[in-house]
């Protein structure tokens, strides 16, 4: 790939030449763009020597159009380190120097950022809001890490090591699809044009959200699932090139990616009907919905009235198990992924479900972990495979967890 390494003014800029070296060693062609402040930490001759190309840092060099030619040249732009300042500028659409102008011109192409700053700055709501904005546009964040910081304190804000940034770039499997290259329109759309070759043109089902099981015309049995994990999975699959059939129980979430086709359902039986009909045409399925295991045996078509002072007994009957059914329908070449939300004997229970339901992978959420589970924006999961492998992921945003799951189950 042709990669532009953008460098901004943080102490971690001294690691940028190493990132350039690693990317070149991995076979990429690299050019550098830097802010004036970056050059307080790393020199122009160093960057020009390691990249083998002139440095871009003067907006008005070459008649002031260098940002456009560099944008046309580059296939991926990685900003390392990315200060709070550059993150804020991109989130606000500010282009007042060479690198910020290039970043805006790079719209529609893959951008990776490795944030680096003091932990209090990282935690500031403005920075967190800006990160969310950038992630929402498809910009990938690598790090920051937690550890010792240049200012003498420790906390979250350390730039990821150059090896990890280089590896993340390779793992993201950024590819601009051939048709986009042929049409030359890679920059004309705001869609994040990256493809995982194992997903491009493939169809996957995702189930998401809770199910509601009607008691009468105004009441139901439900659960606290927000659907965020399932919607994040659908987005991650679609971003990586898959066509996604998202079957979602009641949730206010909206799917924004054009490759996601959303079917809204209410009950487990409706979700079962949609998923079993779609599965035979799909290459894989990730079932993350929190499906009600039981429903009222009878649903009254009117509002049930209180019966004097007596209590009320609801008779529940079992719902069909969508995941187990897809497991029994699964054909060679199809990948089936389930979730397990466990409170005790987590690993043993998850492994039992993996075997029993004929899954290829199971994603274990433990409700014991803080920040994991229903309603929150983060999750902490362990991904177990049928082959016996185990990947323990740290606490991450559901968006990042989704990408990890997609990368793992499509290896
Ligand atoms: N699932 C499903 N259909 C159901 C129940 C669950 O597709 N009727 C799926 C969920 O989407 C999830 C997985 O099965 O991917 C695990 O759900 P969970 O409730 O943890 O497991 P159960 O099989 O219901 O087992 P148990 O109640 O014993 O924990």
């Amino acid at each position: 790939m042709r990669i532009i390494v953008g460098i901004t003014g943080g102490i971690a800029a001294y690691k940028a030449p190493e990132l350039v070296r690693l990317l070149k060693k991995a076979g990429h062609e690299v050019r550098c763009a830097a802010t004036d402040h970056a050059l307080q930490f790393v020199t122009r001759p160093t960057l020009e020597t390691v990249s083998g190309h002139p440095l871009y840092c003067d907006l008005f060099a070459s008649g002031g159009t260098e940002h456009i030619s560099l944008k046309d040249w580059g296939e991926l732009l990685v900003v390392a380190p990315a200060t709070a300042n550059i993150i804020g500028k991109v989130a606000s659409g500010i282009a007042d120097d060479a690198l910020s102008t290039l970043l805006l011109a790079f719209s529609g192409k893959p951008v990776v950022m490795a944030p680096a700053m003091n932990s209090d700055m990282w935690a500031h709501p403005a920075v967190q809001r800006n990160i969310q904005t950038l992630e929402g546009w498809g910009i990938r964040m690598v790090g920051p890490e937690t550890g010792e910081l240049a200012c003498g304190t420790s906390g979250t804000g350390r730039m990821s090591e150059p090896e990890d940034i280089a590896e993340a770039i390779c793992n993201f499997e950024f590819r601009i699809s051939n048709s986009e290259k042929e049409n030359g329109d890679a920059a004309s759309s705001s869609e994040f044009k990256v493809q995982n070759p194992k997903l491009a043109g493939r169809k996957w089902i995702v189930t998401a959200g809770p199910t509601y099981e009607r008691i009468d015309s105004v009441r139901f049995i439900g659960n606290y699932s927000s659907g965020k994990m399932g919607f994040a999975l659908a987005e991650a699959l679609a971003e990586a090139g898959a066509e996604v059939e998202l079957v979602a129980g009641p949730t206010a979430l909206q799917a924004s990616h054009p490759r996601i086709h959303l079917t809204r359902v209410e009950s487990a039986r409706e979700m079962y009907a949609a998923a079993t009909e779609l599965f035979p045409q799909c290459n894989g399925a990730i079932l993350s919905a929190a499906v009600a295991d039981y429903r009222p045996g009878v649903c009254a078509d009117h509002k049930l009235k209180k019966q004097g002072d007596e209590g009320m007994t609801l008779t529940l009957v079992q719902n069909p198990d969508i995941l187990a059914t897809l497991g029994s329908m699964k054909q060679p070449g199809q990948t089936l992924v389930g979730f397990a939300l466990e409170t005790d004997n987590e690993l043993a229970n998850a492994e039992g479900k993996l075997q029993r339901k004929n899954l290829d992978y199971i994603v274990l959420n433990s409700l014991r972990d803080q920040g994991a589970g229903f309603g929150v924006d983060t999750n902490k999961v362990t991904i177990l495979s049928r082959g016996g492998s185990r990947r323990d992921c740290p606490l991450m945003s559901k968006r990042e967890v989704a990408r990890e799951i997609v990368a793992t189950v499509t290896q």
Side-chain angles (χ1 to χ4, degrees):
M1 259 191 309
R2 292 188 300 272
I3 299 179
I4 302 166
V5 176
I7 305 134
T8 61
I11 182 73
Y14 81 91
K15 294 182 178 175
E18 179 61 6
L19 176 62
V20 174
R21 194 186 68 78
L22 290 169
L23 291 173
K24 285 188 70 175
K25 202 171 149 206
H28 303 294
E29 206 183 326
V30 182
R31 293 186 183 202
C32 296
T35 61
D36 286 342
H37 289 165
L39 298 182
Q40 300 285 326
F41 298 98
V42 60
T43 67
R44 174 191 281 269
T46 308
L47 294 170
E48 293 192 334
T49 305
V50 284
S51 68
H53 288 284
L55 175 72
Y56 175 52
C57 64
D58 176 3
L59 183 55
F60 300 106
S62 318
T65 56
E66 185 64 11
H67 59 291
I68 301 300
S69 20
L70 208 48
K71 180 258 318 192
D72 290 341
W73 177 86
E75 289 174 304
L76 183 142
L77 173 50
V78 51
V79 185
T83 55
N85 188 39
I86 196 77
I87 289 166
K89 277 193 202 175
V90 178
S92 314
I94 294 173
D96 65 352
D97 63 8
L99 183 58
S100 53
T101 306
L102 174 62
L103 272 158
L104 250 57
F106 220 75
S107 169
K109 288 179 149 189
V111 176
V112 178
M113 287 191 174
M117 65 198 75
N118 162 272
S119 52
D120 290 335
M121 293 171 73
W122 173 250
H124 195 288
V127 173
Q128 288 306 309
R129 181 203 56 203
N130 292 338
I131 292 283
Q132 266 189 16
T133 302
L134 299 191
E135 285 196 327
W137 293 337
I139 292 180
R140 308 288 175 102
M141 298 295 155
V142 182
E145 310 295 328
T146 303
E148 267 181 39
L149 302 174
C151 52
T153 58
S154 58
T156 303
R158 243 180 107 86
M159 187 177 86
S160 295
E161 291 303 322
E163 292 78 10
D164 297 331
I165 302 170
E167 195 191 321
I169 288 171
C170 300
N171 286 347
F172 287 156
E173 296 191 69
F174 289 102
R175 288 279 157 91
I176 297 177
S177 72
N178 287 335
S179 61
E180 283 153 13
K181 269 192 172 170
E182 280 154 21
N183 298 336
D185 66 352
S188 63
S189 149
S190 62
E191 191 194 335
F192 197 63
K193 305 236 179 203
V194 291
Q195 305 271 311
N196 172 341
K198 292 189 183 137
L199 283 172
R202 303 293 170 89
K203 201 184 229 189
W204 279 63
I205 302 184
V206 175
T207 65
T211 62
Y212 286 179
E213 309 300 326
R214 286 184 188 211
I215 298 169
D216 64 15
S217 57
V218 295
R219 303 180 182 97
F220 60 84
I221 298 174
N223 60 63
Y224 291 120
S225 169
S226 61
K228 285 180 181 170
M229 193 63 245
F231 275 67
L233 281 163
E235 293 282 339
L237 283 163
E239 270 180 11
E243 296 291 329
V244 183
E245 290 288 350
L246 174 58
V247 182
T251 156
L253 298 177
Q254 302 285 343
S256 55
H257 200 289
R259 276 195 289 270
I260 298 177
H261 178 248
L262 175 61
T263 304
R264 291 197 189 270
V265 295
E266 182 179 292
S267 66
R269 283 189 297 173
E270 286 170 16
M271 190 174 277
Y272 175 88
T276 50
E277 189 186 333
L278 289 164
F279 189 55
Q281 313 122 44
C282 289
N283 302 91
I286 308 183
L287 302 202
S288 68
V291 185
D293 288 328
Y294 297 94
R295 67 176 185 278
V298 183
C299 166
D301 58 6
H302 56 279
K303 184 177 171 223
L304 291 171
K305 302 296 283 179
K306 271 197 295 292
Q307 301 291 319
D309 296 335
E310 293 291 299
M312 183 188 185
T313 304
L314 273 181
T315 303
L316 301 179
V317 296
Q318 203 159 355
N319 272 326
D321 189 319
I322 306 165
L323 186 58
T325 307
L326 299 196
S328 66
M329 294 166 66
K330 194 174 71 171
Q331 296 295 317
Q334 285 185 307
T335 304
L336 184 57
V337 185
F339 269 67
L341 183 65
E342 304 291 343
T343 49
D344 314 284
N345 291 330
E346 289 101 331
L347 277 174
N349 282 338
E351 269 158 15
K353 272 177 203 173
L354 178 78
Q355 300 299 337
R356 219 171 40 247
K357 300 194 186 187
N358 192 24
L359 311 181
D360 299 287
Y361 296 88
I362 192 148
V363 182
L364 168 64
N365 281 87
S366 168
L367 272 186
R368 288 189 195 175
D369 289 314
Q370 238 193 347
F374 288 159
V376 291
D377 288 323
T378 51
N379 206 355
K380 189 169 173 213
V381 303
T382 299
I383 309 169
L384 305 173
S385 81
R386 199 177 183 78
S389 71
R390 170 178 166 177
R391 164 125 180 68
D392 290 299
C393 302
L395 187 71
M396 296 190 280
S397 70
K398 285 188 173 166
R399 186 181 274 274
E400 287 172 311
V401 172
R403 288 188 196 128
E404 278 293 327
I405 294 170
V406 168
T408 305
V409 306
T410 55
Q411 271 168 14

